[in-house]
């Protein structure tokens, strides 16, 4: 029974998310995290910043789809710079 349309892009997306979680778990074990306070004035760890990045990237992609007919690659580039900013300053 095929209840979901699994395509290669969908599989790659979930594989990248799973690999990212595995890498962050290994980093947390090898290099214990110390929370830091950034521009949001809340303590965040690497995992918190990853969550903020993923959530923000989802909204960037949705806004991109709603506001332009340009290829989605543009949103990916915006998300990359957003992720760099979050991990640097948040």
């Amino acid at each position: 029974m095929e209840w979901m349309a699994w395509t290669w892009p969908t599989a790659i997306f979930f594989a990248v998310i799973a690999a990212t979680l595995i890498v962050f778990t290994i980093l947390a074990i090898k290099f214990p995290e110390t929370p830091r306070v950034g521009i949001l004035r809340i303590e965040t760890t690497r995992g918190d910043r990853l969550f903020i990045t993923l959530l923000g990237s989802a909204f960037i992609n949705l806004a991109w789809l709603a506001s332009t007919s340009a290829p989605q690659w543009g949103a990916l580039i915006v998300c990359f710079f957003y992720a760099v900013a979050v991990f640097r300053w948040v």
Side-chain angles (χ1 to χ4, degrees):
M1 177 182 337
E2 295 184 31
W3 61 274
M4 184 172 177
W6 283 96
T7 61
W8 281 109
T10 304
I12 291 169
F13 172 78
F14 283 108
V16 167
I17 297 294
T20 303
L21 291 173
I22 291 168
V23 167
F24 271 69
T25 301
I26 292 169
L27 283 173
I29 293 169
K30 288 195 178 251
F31 308 104
E33 303 175 67
T34 56
R36 69 175 192 202
V37 177
I39 61 172
L40 293 179
R41 301 290 173 222
I42 59 172
E43 286 188 349
T44 59
T45 62
R46 283 187 297 257
D48 298 330
R49 291 187 293 276
L50 176 64
F51 178 75
I52 292 168
T53 299
L54 291 174
L55 191 62
S57 295
F59 285 116
I60 289 169
N61 277 281
L62 288 173
W64 187 274
L65 285 171
S67 64
T68 183
S69 61
Q72 202 65 23
W73 290 106
L76 180 63
I77 293 167
V78 173
C79 289
F80 173 76
F81 287 110
Y82 171 71
V84 170
V86 167
F87 275 91
R88 174 70 176 100
W89 292 301
V90 173

